[in-house]
Amino acid sequence: MLFKEIVGQEGPKKLLQNGLRHNRISHAYIFNGPPGSGQMEMALAFVQALFCTNGTEEACGTCLECRKLLHGNHPDLQIVSPDGANIKIDQIRELQRIFSYRSENGNPKAYIIDQADKMNVQAANSLLKFLEEPPSPAVAILLSSNGKALLPTIQSRAQWVAFSALDPMLMLQKLSDEGIPDAIARTAVHLAAGLSACRELAGQNWFAEIRNVVLQLGKESAGRGGSPLITAQQSVFKAGLGDHLEMIFDLFHLWFKDMLQAQANRHDRIVFIDEWEFISKTAGTRSAGAWVSCMAFAAESKKKLRYNMNGQLCLEQFLLNVGHAVPAWN
């Protein structure tokens, strides 16, 4: 992975490349930002440039060190990910054991801890000791979507690198260039924070199915025939899509937001652009406040799921609330 291959995140890119150029490398970094916003790609590009024997702020991609890293078998790079729900102390101890041996080529070793905020207390305390007294020169890169959840003592010993969600239109252009259908790509970029996360989402067969279900339910909820509750039973639960209810509510949020965008004549901001004809005719049949209420129902329903409310009941309540709370203009 090269810096030039990473889309966006110019701030983190500049900070890291400046450090490489002037040989001012911190012993620890916290890459913090929304899931999927490119922290892992940036970490790998940084480590490759750090190990590269030909480049400075950008890896050459062809030397032995680069090739070993690109093939995923560089002995001086270790990646730690959650084992189940957490990163456990045994994983940090194993990292310490591996790093007790010096690098063969004399370079500092590097380790990446993915979802570092999921370290349990014992693992975090063990890592803190490792950060303070590494057995050999090492660069730590902690990836997190909630860096403030890390121990304050870990935060104080690392350089903070802030990542942000990529511009949806930039991601849409890239995905379209890669041949992903516009309707799917346009929806994905409003649900995921980074290009790789969008690609992964757009590539899931269930994502297109869920999108179609939401369009059907959205139209029926607008009072254009059909029964949303029956459709929900048949299209969601009998079809085995009940595991994706949070995504359904996220898509409904975008659907109702599209109605507001249509009322404001913001055609360029419509997500479900393939349904523009229906949206343009339907948006004006409800008040802006009513559509906002529906967006709130979607957010509240997603919250109820997280508190373990029965999924089928949650969706049915949502559809009933939408039907009652979106009266037509008098």
Side-chain angles (χ1 to χ4, degrees):
M1 175 63 66
L2 303 177
F3 282 118
K4 65 183 180 183
E5 296 173 345
I6 299 174
V7 177
Q9 306 300 353
E10 296 305 318
K13 202 181 294 183
K14 182 178 180 181
L15 185 152
L16 296 170
Q17 289 190 302
N18 280 341
L20 288 162
R21 186 180 302 113
H22 300 291
N23 197 26
R24 292 199 296 265
I25 308 299
S26 175
H27 74 286
Y29 297 87
I30 296 173
F31 287 10
N32 186 71
S37 54
Q39 294 103 314
M40 179 61 79
E41 291 87 345
M42 191 74 76
L44 292 172
F46 179 57
V47 173
Q48 186 172 336
L50 185 65
F51 288 176
C52 179
T53 55
N54 295 330
T56 51
E57 69 265 26
E58 179 70 286
C60 70
T62 58
C63 70
L64 179 60
E65 297 297 307
C66 282
R67 294 200 305 274
K68 285 193 290 187
L69 197 140
L70 288 170
H71 291 140
N73 59 6
H74 201 298
D76 291 338
L77 172 64
Q78 299 297 319
I79 300 177
V80 178
S81 300
D83 179 10
N86 302 106
I87 294 173
K88 301 174 176 62
I89 188 171
D90 288 345
Q91 293 176 269
I92 303 302
R93 285 174 174 166
E94 176 62 13
L95 189 66
Q96 292 172 324
R97 186 193 69 77
I98 293 171
F99 274 65
S100 65
Y101 304 100
R102 290 190 174 274
S103 169
E104 294 180 4
N105 60 16
N107 288 333
K109 293 189 175 187
Y111 59 95
I112 300 169
I113 300 183
D114 193 18
Q115 302 177 66
D117 49 285
K118 291 188 177 180
M119 283 186 290
N120 61 28
V121 174
Q122 295 83 0
N125 284 325
S126 182
L127 177 67
L128 177 61
K129 188 175 296 185
F130 190 37
L131 285 175
E132 292 174 333
E133 301 175 2
S136 60
V139 176
I141 306 173
L142 313 184
L143 315 183
S144 177
S145 60
N146 185 20
K148 295 299 182 183
L150 293 167
L151 289 178
T153 42
I154 289 179
Q155 295 182 50
S156 67
R157 286 163 175 75
Q159 183 171 358
W160 193 274
V161 183
F163 286 69
S164 57
L166 288 180
D167 176 13
M169 292 302 102
L170 176 63
M171 293 192 291
L172 177 60
Q173 183 60 56
K174 294 291 291 185
L175 294 175
S176 297
D177 292 345
E178 294 171 11
I180 295 175
D182 184 71
I184 296 296
R186 187 176 291 269
T187 310
V189 300
H190 285 85
L191 295 169
L195 200 54
S196 60
C198 287
R199 285 194 194 101
E200 183 178 353
L201 186 60
Q204 301 293 330
N205 290 332
W206 59 261
F207 181 61
E209 293 182 54
I210 285 288
R211 186 181 185 276
N212 289 334
V213 167
V214 168
L215 290 177
Q216 185 178 0
L217 289 171
K219 291 176 181 179
E220 292 180 4
S221 298
R224 299 299 178 90
S227 170
L229 293 182
I230 294 175
T231 300
Q233 290 272 3
Q234 296 176 342
S235 301
V236 178
F237 300 103
K238 289 186 178 179
L241 299 176
D243 291 338
H244 304 292
L245 287 179
E246 284 199 23
M247 180 64 70
I248 286 178
F249 292 128
D250 285 338
L251 288 167
F252 263 117
H253 192 275
L254 294 176
W255 173 255
F256 297 133
K257 188 175 181 180
D258 273 0
M259 298 297 177
L260 291 173
Q261 302 288 19
Q263 284 190 359
N265 295 316
R266 295 171 179 163
H267 180 271
D268 59 317
R269 299 188 184 183
I270 299 295
V271 176
F272 296 97
I273 196 65
D274 50 323
E275 296 294 333
W276 170 247
E277 184 177 355
F278 178 89
I279 291 170
S280 62
K281 291 178 180 178
T282 306
T285 65
R286 316 293 188 216
S287 68
W291 293 124
V292 170
S293 294
C294 288
M295 292 169 67
F297 284 135
E300 183 63 26
S301 297
K302 189 175 175 180
K303 187 183 297 184
K304 287 178 181 178
L305 281 180
R306 292 176 177 173
Y307 284 100
N308 298 317
M309 183 177 182
N310 176 271
Q312 184 170 336
L313 178 61
C314 187
L315 182 57
E316 289 177 355
Q317 282 188 2
F318 166 75
L319 293 171
L320 288 170
N321 286 334
V322 167
H324 292 142
V326 190
W329 291 99
N330 293 324

